[in-house]
Amino acid sequence: KMMNAVAWGRSICAVGLAWGAGDIMCQSIEKNGSLNELDKKRTIDFILVGGLLLGPANHAFELWVEQTFPGIALRQICKKVLTRVFIAPGFLTLSFGAVAFIKGDDIQNAVLLNVFPAWCTGSLFWPLASAFAYRFVPLTARPAFGSALGAIWSTYLSFMAHRKHDSHSTNTTISSSVVDKN
C-alpha cells in the first residue's frame, strides 16, 4: 500500500503542507501574531523543500525502517526510534542545506550553525512521537500523523533556518529571540 503512486503523492503533499503551515506559524510568531506581511516566497520555498525533498525522503525512510524492523514489539519500536535519531542529522543537513541554497545563503554555514542544535531539540521531541506512531498508527496513516506533528516541528525548523546570526554568537535560541523583541 505504501509503494503505489497515491501513497507517495499523499506523503509529498502532507509533508509539503506541514512545512508550509510550520513556516506560516513561525512568521506569525516572529510578527507577534500578525500575518499581514506574510513572506509568501519564503513559505513557498519551505513547501517546496518539504514536499519535493523531505516528503519523498521521509516516505522512503519509513518504508525502509518498517521493512528492516517489522512489527510493533517493544524491541522493534526501540530499533526504529534509535534509527530515526541516528539518521536525523542527514535529514536536517538536507533540510537546512536546501533552504540555504534556495535563499542564496552559504550552505556549509547554514548546516554548521543549525544541524546540531536542531538535532538536540529533535531528540527531545521525535523519539516519543515516533514510538507512539510505530506502536499505534498504521503504516499507511503515518505520513498524515507525522505531518501533523511535522507542522509543529517545521515551525521550529523555519525559525532556525531564517534566524539572524550575530557575529558574537552562533547559538541563538527561540527564548533569546523572544527576549530580544521585548
Side-chain angles (χ1 to χ4, degrees), residues 101-118:
F101 177 78
I102 288 174
K103 289 171 52 181
D105 290 348
D106 182 276
I107 296 169
Q108 183 178 6
N109 191 48
V111 168
L112 290 174
L113 288 173
N114 294 314
V115 169
F116 184 71

Side-chain angles (χ1 to χ4, degrees), residues 20-85:
D23 182 65
I24 290 169
M25 286 188 280
C26 181
Q27 288 190 55
S28 175
I29 292 167
E30 290 170 347
K31 295 174 178 147
N32 297 318
S34 173
L35 290 177
N36 292 337
E37 298 173 26
L38 181 66
D39 183 345
K40 293 178 184 90
K41 182 188 179 320
R42 172 179 149 170
T43 301
I44 291 168
D45 289 347
F46 231 62
I47 290 169
L48 292 174
V49 170
L52 298 180
L53 196 57
L54 276 299
N58 279 318
H59 189 93
F61 174 76
E62 287 299 330
L63 285 172
W64 175 82
V65 82
E66 195 59 44
Q67 290 169 350
T68 305
F69 308 113
I72 59 171
L74 180 60
R75 184 177 181 92
Q76 297 302 88
I77 291 170
C78 289
K79 289 177 184 178
K80 292 173 191 177
V81 169
L82 284 174
T83 301
R84 179 175 280 281
V85 168

